[in-house]
Amino acid sequence: MDVLFSKEQIAERVQAIGKQISEEYDGQSIVLIGVLKGAAIFLADLARSITVDNTFDFVAVSSYGRARVSSGAVKLIKDIDNPIEGKHVIIVEDILDTGLTLSYLRQLMLQHKPASLKIATCLDKPERRLVPIEADYACFKIPNRFVIGYGMDYAERYRGVDDIRLYPDTPPGH
Ligand code: XMP
Ligand code: MG
């Protein structure tokens, strides 16, 4: 599979975003909320590139599929473990695609009354957006191609591939 972004390119962008976040939240504490499972590796790298005090938590939502695309319904499978009221929160996602997942999660997290709420995504596929939502931090914008690696999967495989690669086919629902 062709490499879209090498591990060196990814590391450079993650470092840059970590530095930007560290400057913007200077003197504050932040809570990173990763969206399982795809964002786990990005969150692990991002958390280590952030120099301000940070903790992390995870949520899980219903998996990507044809049904979800047509219905636009997203279901929460795992909620956060610790309260985020009054905290500075950044949701960390692997890909911002149609925007359905992050719109849903943003609304849900806002109900917990965080002091602030931002979105960091490794990849952004702006062409596929169905709802208006933008990331505050994104490593790369990509065209409408299915990708794997760096946490991202095809049918649960390839998450451990350490660069981001183009998957040769378009899976159902994409
Ligand atoms: P939405 O469409 O709600 O969904 O923004 C974002 C989620 O869709 C998955 N997704 C992908 N996963 N390669 C993947 O491995 C891709 O190219 C891709 N595009 C979307 C991903 O789980 C993301 O969280
Ligand atoms: Mg995901």
Side-chain angles (χ1 to χ4, degrees):
M1 286 183 263
D2 292 338
V3 174
L4 185 58
F5 301 112
S6 67
K7 59 180 178 181
E8 291 80 14
Q9 287 174 298
I10 299 167
E12 196 180 306
R13 286 297 298 143
V14 174
Q15 279 300 321
I17 286 175
K19 186 166 178 276
Q20 189 187 344
I21 290 173
S22 304
E23 286 165 2
E24 290 178 8
Y25 292 86
D26 186 33
Q28 293 171 313
S29 297
I30 54 182
V31 183
L32 303 171
I33 300 183
V35 186
L36 292 172
K37 303 172 206 166
I41 293 178
F42 175 44
L43 185 144
D45 285 344
L46 186 64
R48 286 178 291 179
S49 73
I50 292 173
T51 53
V52 295
D53 181 48
N54 68 87
T55 59
F56 50 82
D57 207 336
F58 290 97
V59 291
V61 293
S62 52
S63 60
Y64 202 84
R66 210 189 275 278
R68 212 197 79 198
V69 173
S70 54
S71 68
V74 183
K75 201 174 113 198
L76 191 73
I77 293 167
K78 185 215 168 293
D79 206 344
I80 46 175
D81 294 334
N82 295 112
I84 55 167
E85 186 172 343
K87 310 233 174 182
H88 295 290
V89 173
I90 303 177
I91 303 176
V92 181
E93 175 61 306
D94 56 356
I95 305 192
L96 174 53
D97 188 20
T98 63
L100 293 168
T101 307
L102 280 170
S103 306
Y104 168 80
L105 283 174
R106 184 169 64 181
Q107 284 314 114
L108 205 68
M109 293 304 138
L110 284 174
Q111 291 171 14
H112 293 283
K113 302 200 184 330
S116 68
L117 183 64
K118 287 194 178 182
I119 291 171
T121 187
C122 183
L123 301 179
D124 182 7
K125 283 187 192 174
E127 284 169 39
R128 295 238 318 159
R129 210 76 91 245
L130 292 176
V131 288
I133 182 164
E134 294 307 325
D136 299 282
Y137 310 99
C139 294
F140 305 101
K141 276 196 182 2
I142 64 165
N144 184 15
R145 292 287 303 274
F146 197 82
V147 297
I148 57 90
Y150 198 64
M152 291 167 280
D153 71 309
Y154 175 72
E156 296 299 327
R157 295 179 66 201
Y158 313 116
R159 291 193 195 276
V161 171
D162 62 4
D163 41 28
I164 296 174
R165 294 174 181 252
L166 292 170
Y167 191 73
D169 303 314
T170 304
H174 275 265

